[in-house]
Amino acid sequence: MSKKDYSKQVQQYIELVGGSVNISSLTHCVTRLRFAIKDKSLVKMDEIKKVEGTMGCQWAGEQFQIIIGGHVSDVYDAMCDTLGIDKKPSVEAILGEEKKSFKDKLLGTLSGIFLPAMPLIIGGGMIKAFCMMFLSLGLVNPASGMFTLMMAIGDAPFKFMPLVLGYSTAKQFKMNPMLGMGIGAALMYNSIQGVDIDLFGFTVNATYEGTILPIIFVVIFGSYVERFARKISPKLLSSFLIPVITFVVTVPIGFALIGPVFNAVAQGICDGIMWLYSNTPVVAASILGAFWQILVVFGMHSVFSSIAVMQLTSGTGTPILAMIFPAFFAQAMTVWAICLKTKSEKLRSVSMSAGISALLGVTEPAIYSVTLPRMKYFIISCIGTMCGAIVMALTGTLRYSLGGLGFFCIPTFFGEGVSVTSVLISIAISLVAAGLVSFVLTFITYKDAEADLENE
């Protein structure tokens, strides 16, 4: 099957954002093209929305986003080819640094650090999830060589996360990424994990395997050490002086001072979330469930996703990913209720396909093509998500790995010692709650807007 030609779509985008000279940088996430634009006044949003294959577009601070959907990487590749730019640009360039607000800088930094690690986390997470599911069902022998190997594959990305984040954090802060990875490797060296080490006049006992915050902040510190080393090192000796100075200064201070502080911060964040979840599960679920899709629309969900990944790499389950799980079904049921009620053939067709896409975990077509332009029904989908999230919280259901979308992420709920039956019952009740509330409220309240009927 031949690959679809996106050249026409790409050329239209380039022209409507003000031409190639108006694009400072370009990258993409799972469903969106993300532009740094020089002159915002040249961007023709209304016309971009009409380009075939476009689900919507928006500004997120100084970043311009075009919502494409699941084939965004193909459109991105085609645009890179047309513009003649590298298909793996540095993420830190996505927004003009001098124009970015603190929120934009924070979200951009988080994306730059965590996005490169996502294939490892998702791949390893899904393998481990299936291993746990098959083990719980008694379908595999835990002593077998293949099961042992598969578990090693699933665990490896989480155990060695400091290596990965050392590399991506270094790139984000314009440091030699190999030095960042070297710092991560040093911090998690086997013989110094969880043992007493005398440093700077006091005893340090720290563990960095599978941690996130310590390596990020140690490498950030290391980036400044490297810059200092570059300034003081003679060019003739810089090839070995820079890495030596960077390692000798960064690793001991990071291991003894920076790392323990951020280990404590990370533990405090996770403990705080689990305390709120354990003591007031309905409040936690209501807030996160009701506002999750709003956070996604504004691109602010990465903060919570980062915390969830932090919990997963520490070896514990996360309630965050469990409580947002019903969102895909709430969107699907909302747009299918619209599909049944609308008299517009065009809206019916769009709603049907968007509902199918939502079941597979890609909710952007439902959000940007159907519910968000009809705000009442977007709010209804948020209410449905909240109801499903409350069920997940009340049943104490957690997710133990990251991977899959929609129904395909169900295996990620199976952890060691978790009952498959109880998890499936919780998931079923949660989806019924989210889907039923969304469908019924939409079906009862939906009325076609004049614009929908006029566009027939």
Side-chain angles (χ1 to χ4, degrees), residues 193-351:
Q193 302 303 300
V195 299
D196 291 340
I197 298 178
D198 293 328
L199 287 171
F200 308 119
F202 57 93
T203 301
V204 180
N205 188 308
T207 300
Y208 294 106
E209 286 184 356
T211 59
I212 287 181
L213 286 188
I215 182 60
I216 290 174
F217 284 94
V218 172
V219 170
I220 291 173
F221 169 68
S223 69
Y224 290 97
V225 175
E226 185 203 35
R227 290 171 203 171
F228 173 75
R230 288 186 183 281
K231 288 181 180 180
I232 66 171
S233 299
K235 288 187 178 180
L236 188 62
L237 306 176
S238 62
S239 61
F240 76 87
L241 275 183
I242 291 174
V244 168
I245 293 172
T246 302
F247 286 141
V248 169
V249 174
T250 303
V251 175
I253 293 176
F255 185 90
L257 301 176
I258 301 173
V261 169
F262 285 98
N263 256 342
V265 170
Q267 190 61 50
I269 291 172
C270 293
D271 288 347
I273 291 173
M274 295 307 293
W275 179 88
L276 179 63
Y277 172 77
S278 300
N279 289 275
T280 56
V282 173
V283 173
S286 297
I287 294 172
L288 188 59
F291 289 97
W292 178 253
Q293 294 182 84
I294 298 172
L295 293 172
V296 171
V297 168
F298 285 99
M300 298 176 66
H301 59 297
S302 57
V303 176
F304 289 91
S305 299
S306 301
I307 295 172
V309 171
M310 190 164 62
Q311 291 180 303
L312 293 176
T313 55
S314 68
T316 62
T318 173
I320 294 174
L321 299 180
M323 289 187 286
I324 66 171
F325 168 71
F328 80 96
F329 203 62
Q331 280 290 341
M333 292 298 101
T334 300
V335 297
W336 276 347
I338 292 174
C339 178
L340 292 176
K341 286 293 294 287
T342 184
K343 296 178 181 178
S344 166
E345 290 295 331
K346 180 179 179 180
L347 179 57
R348 183 178 295 117
S349 175
V350 170
S351 297

Side-chain angles (χ1 to χ4, degrees), residues 382-442:
C382 292
I383 294 172
T385 301
M386 179 183 70
C387 294
I390 290 173
V391 172
M392 293 300 243
L394 290 176
T395 57
T397 306
L398 304 176
R399 279 180 64 177
Y400 295 91
S401 57
L402 186 67
L405 295 172
F407 283 115
F408 294 107
C409 79
I410 289 177
T412 65
F413 287 89
F414 302 122
E416 190 171 354
V418 174
S419 168
V420 172
T421 302
S422 63
V423 166
L424 291 177
I425 291 173
S426 297
I427 290 174
I429 297 173
S430 174
L431 293 181
V432 168
L436 192 62
V437 168
S438 300
F439 185 90
V440 170
L441 287 180
T442 302

Side-chain angles (χ1 to χ4, degrees), residues 344-347 374 449-456:
S344 166
E345 290 295 331
K346 180 179 179 180
L347 179 57
R374 301 160 183 83
E450 291 184 8
D452 290 324
L453 299 177
E454 289 173 358
N455 290 332
E456 284 298 290

